[in-house]
Amino acid sequence: MTKWTTSNIPPQHGCTAVVTGTGGLGYEDALALARAGASVVIAGRNPRKGAEAVAAIRQAVPGGQVRFGKVDLANLASIAEFAAKLAQEQDGLDLLINNAGVMTPPERRQTSDGFELQFGTNYLGHFALTAHLLPLLKEGRNARVVTLGSVAARSGAINFDDLQAQRGYKRGPVYSQSKLACVMFALELSRRSKAACWGVESLAAHPGVSRTDLLPNGAGRWSAAGMARRFLPFLFQPAWQGALPTLYAATDPAARDGAYYGPDRLVGTRGYPTEEKPPKQALDTSVAARLWDASQELTNVRFV
């Protein structure tokens, strides 16, 4: 495809969207969707950051339809509460972007429900959120779910013997596992939606290497990764550009159900949206099915 940008987003009037994450890529997603006419819920755990994001988008897009929704992806009760509240406010949902995440905290941390923080937030939280929102998505107009992977997913492996990294926490491999799980979830959701005739498309995307606060917030401001983010900005493409593969997957009619999108240059680390092959291990349908079953048991949700 040519250099696809936000100017190529089709009109989104009448579209209702939920985007997880109030800063970085999530903010850019919400801003672009609001500019295109969508009604957007920015979902995050920090009301102050959510209010700031909403205010900034409303200033950039006078009359833009955007609001904040409180959800903590590291808390299953919060996820269920957010979905129940949304169901009271609207009859359907057209787009869900599973974007928010945490990256490589130096020490093992846990969610409110006892999951390892990266696996629990990046993957299980979005798995549960999608399940809770599936009834609304079924009522949506050409509904799509876009789940964020990462270049780190290429080196990931699903460790069923220690999914929560209780016997040995290595932050890089644990992050890679969480993002591989996200890609596998996106592909498995596509397969199951087709088989069950849910009418919901599922795609995966990743931002390459982008300039957001994910690294300093996770690894730490003075970590090697955090300092590279601060002092070597040329290594990272801007957040607006990193958001493009997600926005392409979310809005373009040519984006394919069950496909994976990322940047087109420097081995997928920067550039403009293009379809790419998912990591080989993400294509193992037996592992994907096992992960799906394990995730339903861990989160106590069902896709119905």
Side-chain angles (χ1 to χ4, degrees), residues 17-244:
V18 169
V19 179
T20 65
T22 56
L25 300 172
Y27 173 81
E28 296 294 341
D29 291 338
L31 174 61
L33 290 169
R35 277 187 171 141
S39 175
V40 185
V41 178
I42 300 180
R45 62 186 175 87
N46 188 317
R48 178 184 59 80
K49 289 183 178 180
E52 290 173 354
V54 168
I57 291 174
R58 286 179 176 167
Q59 183 175 10
V61 188
Q65 299 181 63
V66 58
R67 68 186 193 273
F68 172 72
K70 190 175 186 302
V71 62
D72 183 353
L73 290 165
N75 185 308
L76 293 175
S78 174
I79 293 167
E81 183 179 348
F82 169 79
K85 186 169 185 279
L86 196 67
Q88 293 176 346
E89 296 171 348
Q90 54 196 64
D91 297 326
L93 181 63
D94 306 309
L95 175 62
L96 169 62
I97 297 181
N98 290 323
N99 163 80
V102 294
M103 185 176 182
T104 61
E107 297 178 350
R108 185 183 182 278
R109 296 167 57 193
Q110 292 191 164
T111 70
S112 301
D113 304 286
F115 306 133
E116 185 281 319
L117 185 65
Q118 296 184 89
F119 188 73
T121 303
N122 300 349
Y123 170 61
L124 289 175
H126 283 120
F127 182 92
L129 177 65
T130 307
H132 283 296
L133 293 179
L134 183 60
L136 284 178
L137 288 162
K138 287 180 181 179
E139 299 299 323
R141 182 186 61 180
N142 302 317
R144 284 185 182 180
V145 177
V146 181
T147 302
L148 270 286
S150 167
V151 292
R154 299 169 185 171
S155 61
I158 306 300
N159 183 3
F160 287 108
D161 293 331
D162 192 19
L163 278 176
Q164 309 302 333
Q166 293 173 309
R167 294 199 295 271
Y169 176 75
K170 295 182 178 180
R171 58 187 180 178
V174 170
Y175 177 73
S176 295
Q177 174 185 247
S178 75
K179 299 313 285 188
L180 173 62
C182 287
V183 178
M184 298 186 82
F185 166 61
L187 304 185
E188 183 70 4
L189 178 61
S190 172
R191 289 188 288 267
R192 292 188 181 232
S193 179
K194 290 171 184 172
C197 299
W198 290 336
V200 177
E201 295 184 349
S202 175
L203 304 85
H206 75 86
V209 179
S210 298
R211 193 159 52 247
T212 71
D213 289 333
L214 188 62
L215 276 171
N217 284 348
R221 187 179 184 189
W222 298 109
S223 67
M227 287 192 289
R229 161 69 178 81
R230 293 172 64 210
F231 299 119
L232 301 172
F234 58 86
L235 296 177
F236 303 82
Q237 65 178 351
W240 68 261
Q241 192 163 13
L244 293 180

Side-chain angles (χ1 to χ4, degrees), residues 1-10 240 243-253 271-273:
M1 65 185 75
T2 57
K3 290 184 177 180
W4 192 96
T5 70
T6 54
S7 65
N8 299 109
I9 295 177
W240 68 261
L244 293 180
T246 299
L247 289 165
Y248 177 85
T251 66
D252 200 282
Y272 293 85

Side-chain angles (χ1 to χ4, degrees), residues 281-295:
Q281 58 271 43
L283 301 175
D284 190 325
T285 56
S286 62
V287 173
R290 182 181 177 188
L291 179 63
W292 183 283
D293 291 341
S295 303

